[in-house]
Every structure is written in C-alpha cells, then in structure tokens.
C-alpha cells in the first residue's frame, strides 16, 4: 500500500475505534460477547476498506498497469499470418522482461524498399540505456527460443526509453 | 571498407544531439551490423544478392543457421532494421529522434557485430555453412513434397 492510502486508512481506523468506544448505548445492556462480535465486524470492515483504498489511491508510475493498444491493421495482419498466438506471447514476454514497461502499442509497418510487412510492438520503458539493453537481451533469448523463423521476424519489439 | 567503421560515424553523430543526427545513428548502426552479417555469410560461402532483397536473405540465412547466438543476433538485426525504416522514412515518429534510443541502437549494433565476429573463424563459418545448407535442403524437400501433392 502506498503512503497516501496508508494515511487515509489510519484516519478511518481512528474513526471506527472512536465510534466503537464512544457509543455507550452499545455497551450498556450488552454482554462482553456482543462487544467481541462488534470488534470482529469492525476488523472485517477495516480490511475491506484497506482493499478499497488500494484500488482508489493513485499509483506510482512503476505500480501502474501496462497499457496495451492493438491497432486494427496489426491484428488483421496477425490473424491473416497465423500470428495471433505470438502476439499474446510477445505481450507477456515484454511484461515479464521489462519491469518498467508502461505502454505497448501494436501497429503494422512495412519496408518501402521491399514491401515486407511486420507488426511493431512499440514499447515505452523507463530506465537507463544499459539496463534496457540487458532486459532486451533476456527478452530476445526467450523470444528466439519460443518462436520459429520467420514468425519471430513478423512481430518486432521496438523500445522507446522514456 | 570495413563496415564496422560505420559505428565510428554513428558515435560522432551522437555527440551532437539533434533529430537528424539521431535518425542517422539508427541508419549507420543498422548498416554496420547488416554488412558485417553479409560478409560473414559470404565468407562462409553463401551468396547474398546485392540489391534490396539481400536484407531478407541475410535475415533468412542467419535466422535459420541453427546457431543460437547467431539467431539471437539476427533477431536484434531485424529490430534494428525496423527502427532504421522509422528513422529514414517515418518523419513524424519522434521515437527515433531521442538520443537515448539512438545510443541503444548503436550499442545493440556493436553487440550484433560482436556475435558475428565470434563466428568469423574457419570453424564458425563452417558451422554457418552447414546450418544454412541443411535449411536449404529442408526447404527444397518441402517444396518438392508440396509440388508432388
């Protein structure tokens, strides 16, 4: 949990305990067993609230989920060339090998000199150059081991270091 | 000339950080690695066409030579080729105008060349020749099989 949600959670926790112990009518005429039930209910409430806060609180750049954009032409090309399985594989491998990936955009590209076509996986990554090269090396090793030629040449990772 | 000299040109270009120079770094980095790849294949006894289709041939042979290190270098070369197309033709693409991306292309080209150089010994070239030969035979056999059907 990040610090802002932690502060909010603490405030909420305080409020709950104040409510619990400042309500004499709840305490009067009830046995100790009821207080225990209330405490358990409040504990469950606190847990739920913590979970809700985690979802609502703004995340740091590193914590934000990677945004993935599929261009229509890229998807059609992959479907036509039987590459769909590799499209999802490359997405998984990018997320796995580049821990700071922020966005992946799949788009169709072609070579004006030869008319060859392929899909670019334009990938926004934060980090320094040598770190990104290291990540790319491990990505390539797995990509080449899992995808045959020429399929692996038809979807290409392009890193954009932010 | 030695295609590795293109890397020196790329380094000089990178010293002055501007969009045109960064784009040119991608171009020189690709051609340095591509031409070292062409030389490696030709020295191994494999003929590469001297026109635009040569790029595809280099990819195809290196990508199917059966040597893991060369296949990985080829995959990086294809990535560099895609970036080179962006740098040379897609003038609205800002990604190839950033110095950190250009620097990465230059360093990657150096690594590709390093991998090719390891296999430039007689033993390495023989392995590449055998690998490409085996690939060509498989293709011919598959082609005959599909024609006879």
């Amino acid at each position: 949990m990040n610090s802002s949600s932690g502060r909010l959670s603490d405030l909420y926790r305080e409020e709950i305990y104040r409510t619990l112990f400042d309500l004499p009518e709840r305490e009067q005429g009830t046995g100790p067993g009821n207080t225990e039930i209330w405490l358990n209910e409040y504990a469950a409430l606190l847990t739920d609230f913590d979970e809700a806060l985690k979802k609502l609180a703004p995340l740091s750049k590193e914590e934000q989920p990677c945004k993935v954009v599929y261009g229509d032409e890229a998807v059609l090309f992959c479907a036509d060339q039987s590459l769909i399985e590799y499209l999802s594989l490359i997405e998984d491998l990018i997320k796995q090998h580049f821990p700071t990936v922020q966005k992946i955009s799949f788009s169709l590209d072609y070579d004006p000199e030869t008319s060859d076509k392929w899909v670019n996986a334009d990938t926004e990554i934060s980090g320094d150059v040598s770190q990104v090269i290291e990540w790319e090396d491990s990505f390539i090793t797995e990509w080449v081991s899992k995808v045959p030629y020429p399929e692996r040449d038809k979807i290409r990772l392009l890193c954009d270091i932010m | 000339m030695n295609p590795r000299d293109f890397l020196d040109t790329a380094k000089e270009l990178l010293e002055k950080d501007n969009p045109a120079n960064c784009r040119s770094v991608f171009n020189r980095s690709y051609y340095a690695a591509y031409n070292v790849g062409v030389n490696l294949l030709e020295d191994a006894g494999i003929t590469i066409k001297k026109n635009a289709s040569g790029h595809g041939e280099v990819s195809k042979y290196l990508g199917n030579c059966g040597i893991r290190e060369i296949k990985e270098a080829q995959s990086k070369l294809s990535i560099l080729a895609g970036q080179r197309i962006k740098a040379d033709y897609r003038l609205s693409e800002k990604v190839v105008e950033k110095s950190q991306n250009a620097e990465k292309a230059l360093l990657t080209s150096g690594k590709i060349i390093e991998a090719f150089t390891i296999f430039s010994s007689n033993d390495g070239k023989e392995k590449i020749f055998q690998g490409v030969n085996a690939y060509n035979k498989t293709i011919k056999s598959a082609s005959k099989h599909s024609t006879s059907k």
Side-chain angles (χ1 to χ4, degrees), chain A residues 109-110 113 122 137 153 161, chain B residues 76 78 86 89-90 111:
Chain A
D109 207 349
Y110 70 98
E113 295 161 18
D122 288 293
D137 282 350
D153 246 23
I161 304 171
Chain B
K76 289 177 189 171
S78 284
K86 279 196 179 194
Y89 294 103
R90 319 278 185 244
K111 291 187 90 162

Side-chain angles (χ1 to χ4, degrees), chain A residues 120-131:
Chain A
N120 281 327
D122 288 293
T123 304
E124 292 180 7
I125 303 154
S126 52
D128 61 50
V129 174
S130 57
Q131 179 67 81

Side-chain angles (χ1 to χ4, degrees), chain A residues 98 107-114 116 118 120 122 124 127 129-130 132-134 136-137 139-145 148-150 152-153 155-162, chain B residues 31 52-53 55-56 59-64 68 71-76 78-86 88-90 93 95 98-101 103-104 107-108 111 135:
Chain A
F98 297 89
S107 60
L108 189 64
D109 207 349
Y110 70 98
D111 183 343
E113 295 161 18
T114 63
D116 283 347
W118 64 89
N120 281 327
D122 288 293
E124 292 180 7
V129 174
S130 57
V132 173
I133 287 177
E134 214 174 281
E136 189 179 74
D137 282 350
F139 163 84
I140 291 284
T141 298
E142 195 165 353
W143 180 243
V144 169
S145 73
Y149 186 95
R152 64 172 178 263
D153 246 23
I155 309 177
R156 301 178 189 180
L157 165 76
L158 297 189
C159 296
D160 180 8
I161 304 171
M162 307 307 285
Chain B
Y31 277 104
S53 62
H55 296 267
S59 267
K60 181 176 69 179
Y61 293 138
L62 294 175
N64 289 289
R68 182 182 61 82
K71 290 199 293 183
E72 289 179 11
Q74 179 277 323
S75 201
K76 289 177 189 171
S78 284
I79 288 173
L80 214 46
Q83 290 173 324
R84 201 278 291 179
I85 297 296
K86 279 196 179 194
D88 286 349
Y89 294 103
R90 319 278 185 244
E93 292 271 3
V95 63
K98 290 183 186 176
S99 62
Q100 64 268 37
N101 291 336
E103 186 190 350
K104 181 180 163 289
L107 293 171
T108 300
K111 291 187 90 162
Y135 166 73

Side-chain angles (χ1 to χ4, degrees), chain B residues 37-48:
Chain B
V38 170
N39 288 350
L40 176 66
L41 286 166
E42 291 197 326
D43 287 349
I46 298 146
T47 310
I48 302 296

Side-chain angles (χ1 to χ4, degrees), chain B residues 71-137:
Chain B
K71 290 199 293 183
E72 289 179 11
Q74 179 277 323
S75 201
K76 289 177 189 171
L77 186 65
S78 284
I79 288 173
L80 214 46
Q83 290 173 324
R84 201 278 291 179
I85 297 296
K86 279 196 179 194
D88 286 349
Y89 294 103
R90 319 278 185 244
L91 299 189
S92 62
E93 292 271 3
K94 301 293 177 202
V95 63
V96 283
E97 293 182 356
K98 290 183 186 176
S99 62
Q100 64 268 37
N101 291 336
E103 186 190 350
K104 181 180 163 289
L106 172 62
L107 293 171
T108 300
S109 176
K111 291 187 90 162
I112 297 167
I113 289 171
E114 214 174 279
F116 289 165
T117 306
I118 290 169
F119 284 86
S120 62
S121 63
N122 285 338
D123 185 42
K125 286 185 283 192
E126 182 59 25
K127 277 183 187 164
I128 290 171
F129 179 76
Q130 296 295 343
V132 172
N133 230 8
Y135 166 73
N136 280 336
K137 277 181 187 166

